[in-house]
Amino acid sequence: MPDKDAGTPRVFLYRHGQTEWSQNGKYTGKTELPLLPEGRKQVLASGKLIVGHGKLIDPTKLAHVFISPRERAKETFDLAFADDDKETLEKEGKVTETEKIAEWGYGDYEGMLTHEIKALRKERGLDKEKGWDIWRDGCEGGESAQEVTDRLDSLIEDIHSFQAANMHGEKACDIVLVAHGHSLRAFVKRWLKYPMDFSLQMMLEPGGVGVLSYAHHNVNEPAVMVGIGFPYE
């Protein structure tokens, strides 16, 4: 049976490797933290398996790589891609650092744990009817759910500009996003056209990669690729 979705463009979600705060569960927005040795190993392992010529993420088939400006994301890109591939992509203008895919701006909650945030909000007289939900309530002094929605929607428009005319593989135009746990999961919600407060439980391990695409070769039918077929000769 032929693959009815063969050639459809994909969007790869590449989460940065483990940092001290991500390991401890602390909310890390703009704070610059390096990858832990374990985090570097996570990225090197996934990169070795799936990034490279003839592999799942083939640099020669990429239209663009969007990277969060945070150092942990840039380090992840640097580790995952071979030097010559990075040089070629950058020379061709296919690499962009952008706040559009930066981590959620946590504001007053930067560096805190979830239970600490809930306790702080209780002290401030918040959440009397419902417990804090970042997808609905956002962050004091940081970003609201609508602000995150707006910048992610803008990035999705950028991605569509590369992919909309190539739904049947007319031109290789895969996209890679190198970013963070919250922003990438938020991106999935907006990709699927769900409101940010839509209940959709997702997991993305440090150094892990997720994949999005389109159903029926239709840019108006965004989809999650639940199972991935790997290249073969």
Side-chain angles (χ1 to χ4, degrees), residues 100 145-160 186-187 189-196:
K100 291 181 181 181
Q146 187 60 55
E147 288 172 321
V148 176
T149 294
D150 291 344
R151 61 181 172 89
L152 292 178
D153 285 357
S154 177
L155 179 57
I156 290 171
E157 289 181 8
D158 295 339
I159 292 171
H160 286 173
F187 183 89
K189 288 189 177 185
R190 293 309 302 148
W191 183 261
L192 297 175
K193 303 180 182 180
Y194 293 144
M196 200 64 77

Side-chain angles (χ1 to χ4, degrees), residues 44-82:
L44 287 169
S46 55
K48 182 179 180 180
L49 283 172
I50 65 173
V51 181
H53 296 255
K55 297 183 179 180
L56 186 63
I57 302 178
D58 188 331
T60 66
K61 296 181 179 180
L62 296 180
H64 215 83
V65 180
F66 293 99
I67 308 171
S68 162
R70 306 289 85 82
E71 291 299 325
R72 55 196 183 275
K74 292 191 285 186
E75 186 178 2
T76 294
F77 171 66
D78 191 52
L79 291 170
F81 285 75

Side-chain angles (χ1 to χ4, degrees), residues 31-108:
T31 302
E32 295 289 15
L33 294 172
L35 300 184
L36 293 172
E38 178 186 355
R40 294 176 60 87
K41 291 178 181 178
Q42 290 167 334
V43 175
L44 287 169
S46 55
K48 182 179 180 180
L49 283 172
I50 65 173
V51 181
H53 296 255
K55 297 183 179 180
L56 186 63
I57 302 178
D58 188 331
T60 66
K61 296 181 179 180
L62 296 180
H64 215 83
V65 180
F66 293 99
I67 308 171
S68 162
R70 306 289 85 82
E71 291 299 325
R72 55 196 183 275
K74 292 191 285 186
E75 186 178 2
T76 294
F77 171 66
D78 191 52
L79 291 170
F81 285 75
D83 289 342
D84 55 344
D85 290 328
K86 287 181 293 186
E87 182 179 351
T88 299
L89 288 167
E90 290 169 351
K91 188 177 296 184
E92 294 176 351
K94 293 183 176 181
V95 179
T96 300
E97 291 179 20
T98 174
E99 289 286 345
K100 291 181 181 181
I101 196 58
E103 184 56 296
W104 200 301
Y106 297 127
D108 295 357

Side-chain angles (χ1 to χ4, degrees), residues 170-218:
E170 294 88 344
K171 178 181 178 182
C173 57
D174 287 340
I175 299 288
V176 176
L177 308 182
V178 186
H180 314 269
H182 249 132
S183 63
L184 289 174
R185 285 180 288 145
F187 183 89
V188 173
K189 288 189 177 185
R190 293 309 302 148
W191 183 261
L192 297 175
K193 303 180 182 180
Y194 293 144
M196 200 64 77
D197 61 354
F198 181 81
S199 181
L200 181 65
Q201 298 299 326
M202 294 172 282
M203 299 172 66
L204 182 57
E205 294 181 343
V209 178
V211 191
L212 303 174
S213 189
Y214 308 86
H216 310 115
H217 302 278
N218 187 343

Side-chain angles (χ1 to χ4, degrees), residues 90-132:
E90 290 169 351
K91 188 177 296 184
E92 294 176 351
K94 293 183 176 181
V95 179
T96 300
E97 291 179 20
T98 174
E99 289 286 345
K100 291 181 181 181
I101 196 58
E103 184 56 296
W104 200 301
Y106 297 127
D108 295 357
Y109 308 151
E110 184 81 4
M112 298 179 70
L113 300 170
T114 299
H115 75 271
E116 294 172 335
I117 295 171
K118 291 182 177 180
L120 175 65
R121 289 176 65 88
K122 184 176 180 180
E123 290 175 5
R124 294 177 174 178
L126 301 172
D127 309 326
K128 293 181 179 179
E129 296 182 3
K130 293 182 179 179
W132 176 64

